[in-house]
Amino acid sequence: MRILKKSFGRLKSGEEVIKYSLINRNNFTVNILNYGGIITEIFTPDEEGNFENIVLGFDNLRDYEEKSPYFGSIVGRVAGRISNAKFRIAENEYNLTKNNGKHHLHGGNIGLDKVIWQVEEIFEEECIGLSMSYLSRDGEEGYPGNLNIEISYLLNSNNELEIQQRAISDKKTIVNMTNHTYFNLCGNLKEDILNHTLTINGDQVAFVDREIIPTGELRNIENSVFDFRKGKKIGKDLYRKDDQLIKCKGFDHPFVLNHARKFAVKLEDEKSGRVMEVRTDQPVVVLYTGNYIGQELMLNGKIKSKDYMGVCLETQDYPDAINQHNFPTRIYDAGEIYKAYTQFKFYTK
Ligand code: FUC
């Protein structure tokens, strides 16, 4: 197993960005930038052994700085939307950056996806990886507390990629991070993801309003377009005249996970034979089917983008929980540790 390193160019500020390649014994490769902790490519074999890239990304830094819909990045401090870009903790009201209409999205204008992380390489017997750290200052994008963040990407020889998240603040605060990779198991983005079969071990979904803010309602998914428990094609119901799907142009919904099952989410592509299983200790996965990717982007240097080219499986805590009476809400005390992990396991049928 080895780690390679090369320059990925300079940010507009002049700072150099490094691209790391984690390569395991099977040549399974994950490329990660120290900018935003962005996963730019994952190369996995199809059932005939052909290695192809299975995530959406860019071949240059400028596009990541200016155009990226959070491709591959760490998002936070709080993933998803915080309604009206404000919240209260005890007697204090905090106003966050408004970067999604009147709401706050994915950590603000300069969220964790747009900063340089300090990187340490990890070499262990069972795995290799990167430990990335960043200090988000008190008041950054409006959040309270100096927050020390550490994200580790770990790859082993079973083609399992694990993301471990940790943070500690010096003031009471909220934290809820995720990774925003858009997966497409076809390989080299040959097709969109509508023919992928998706299984979600979740019995409830959170309904959202027109601005994709949870209404607070948790619905049982039985007999609805949200029932992915037995596995179904993402495209099967996506164009149905369902009020929730029309509002979001597809799926952009938090599912409450059922932790009694052996995996949280499974994604499969029949043609290539590629399968990905997701395990996590987080209570929710947000399923986002790439509804707003649009046609303006040049993906991985050569492919014109379109909607539904990738699917995000954002494992996290309940979105907008701090403003939602109906959702369990976590507030972290000064010195209390926030911890989360998600594992992605790849294999072929
Ligand atoms: C996802 C969605 C949002 C948004 C963003 C780019 O996390 O929940 O609606 O479009 O990604």
Side-chain angles (χ1 to χ4, degrees):
M1 295 201 275
R2 62 211 157 103
I3 301 179
L4 307 179
K5 236 170 115 154
K6 63 175 184 220
S7 176
F8 192 60
R10 285 183 187 276
L11 293 172
K12 286 184 276 181
S13 66
E15 261 179 298
E16 189 177 25
V17 171
I18 306 293
K19 184 180 193 166
Y20 292 83
S21 299
L22 307 180
I23 308 169
N24 76 6
R25 284 191 198 106
N26 318 316
N27 277 328
F28 178 104
T29 302
V30 186
N31 290 340
I32 302 169
L33 305 180
N34 60 344
Y35 175 70
I38 294 171
I39 296 178
T40 57
E41 290 110 356
I42 300 181
F43 293 97
T44 74
D46 64 10
E47 60 194 356
E48 267 144 32
N50 303 309
F51 278 77
E52 290 167 313
N53 173 36
I54 54 148
V55 306
L56 273 57
F58 295 118
D59 68 346
N60 69 90
L61 197 50
R62 211 54 83 234
D63 283 356
Y64 279 111
E65 272 192 286
E66 292 174 351
K67 302 183 183 161
S68 182
Y70 304 90
F71 282 160
S73 63
I74 297 165
V75 294
R77 295 183 188 192
V78 173
R81 289 168 181 80
I82 295 184
S83 51
N84 302 307
K86 61 177 162 205
F87 64 91
R88 297 187 74 87
I89 295 179
E91 67 284 2
N92 300 311
E93 184 174 275
Y94 296 101
N95 289 291
L96 303 172
T97 320
K98 293 180 181 163
N99 62 331
N100 190 246
K102 58 181 190 205
H103 307 297
H104 174 87
L105 174 66
H106 290 332
N109 285 328
I110 305 177
L112 302 178
D113 59 300
K114 292 214 165 46
V115 299
I116 296 272
W117 294 70
Q118 290 306 318
V119 178
E120 268 177 52
E121 298 175 16
I122 300 171
F123 293 93
E124 281 172 15
E125 215 165 291
E126 297 297 313
C127 68
I128 48 169
L130 302 178
S131 160
M132 304 193 142
S133 49
Y134 174 70
L135 170 65
S136 174
R137 299 270 176 198
D138 189 15
E140 211 168 291
E141 300 295 315
Y143 289 100
N146 288 298
L147 187 72
N148 259 302
I149 310 171
E150 193 188 318
I151 308 278
S152 298
Y153 289 96
L154 300 169
L155 174 67
N156 66 22
S157 343
N158 301 324
N159 297 356
E160 292 164 347
L161 174 69
E162 184 160 316
I163 306 180
Q164 296 175 353
Q165 301 159 190
R166 246 175 93 94
I168 300 186
S169 167
D170 58 3
K171 262 191 201 164
K172 260 192 204 300
T173 197
I174 52 173
V175 190
N176 180 16
M177 300 184 285
T178 191
N179 176 280
H180 208 285
T181 294
Y182 291 67
F183 294 98
N184 181 328
L185 302 183
C186 295
N188 296 346
L189 315 183
K190 285 191 274 294
E191 284 173 31
D192 60 35
I193 47 87
L194 297 177
N195 274 320
H196 282 37
T197 302
L198 177 68
T199 310
I200 300 179
N201 279 324
D203 302 331
Q204 284 185 312
V205 67
F207 272 24
V208 296
D209 68 14
R210 243 182 306 119
E211 293 174 329
I212 324 181
I213 301 291
T215 60
E217 204 183 342
L218 291 174
R219 286 279 189 106
N220 197 303
I221 48 134
E222 194 98 52
N223 298 320
S224 78
V225 295
F226 295 102
D227 194 345
F228 284 97
R229 289 175 300 185
K230 295 208 174 88
K232 73 168 167 160
K233 293 256 167 89
I234 294 176
K236 177 162 182 273
D237 294 319
L238 191 130
Y239 294 112
R240 277 256 212 116
K241 290 202 168 41
D242 174 279
D243 183 51
Q244 282 291 308
L245 296 182
I246 294 166
K247 275 187 181 133
C248 305
K249 264 184 77 187
F251 294 95
D252 196 349
H253 290 82
F255 287 72
V256 181
L257 293 168
N258 177 350
H259 279 280
R261 313 281 172 79
K262 67 173 196 222
F263 57 80
V265 181
K266 187 172 179 178
L267 188 65
E268 298 162 89
D269 173 50
E270 203 66 44
K271 274 196 203 155
S272 67
R274 289 189 181 90
V275 185
M276 177 178 84
E277 286 178 10
V278 185
R279 287 174 178 74
T280 185
D281 60 353
Q282 292 299 285
V284 166
V285 64
V286 173
L287 167 64
Y288 172 57
T289 43
N291 316 340
Y292 306 107
I293 294 174
Q295 302 180 357
E296 306 293 312
L297 308 175
M298 193 51 80
L299 303 174
N300 305 91
K302 44 187 176 294
I303 289 157
K304 252 191 86 174
S305 67
K306 57 177 184 177
D307 293 341
Y308 317 118
M309 275 300 264
V311 54
C312 301
L313 299 159
E314 307 163 44
T315 51
Q316 57 178 94
D317 209 337
Y318 288 78
D320 197 29
I322 192 78
N323 294 320
Q324 299 278 342
H325 305 297
N326 215 15
F327 294 176
T329 306
R330 292 233 33 195
I331 296 171
Y332 292 85
D333 276 321
E336 189 183 345
I337 299 174
Y338 154 91
K339 248 177 122 175
Y341 85 86
T342 300
Q343 187 208 63
F344 301 93
K345 181 184 174 65
F346 300 89
Y347 58 94
T348 53
K349 285 200 171 154

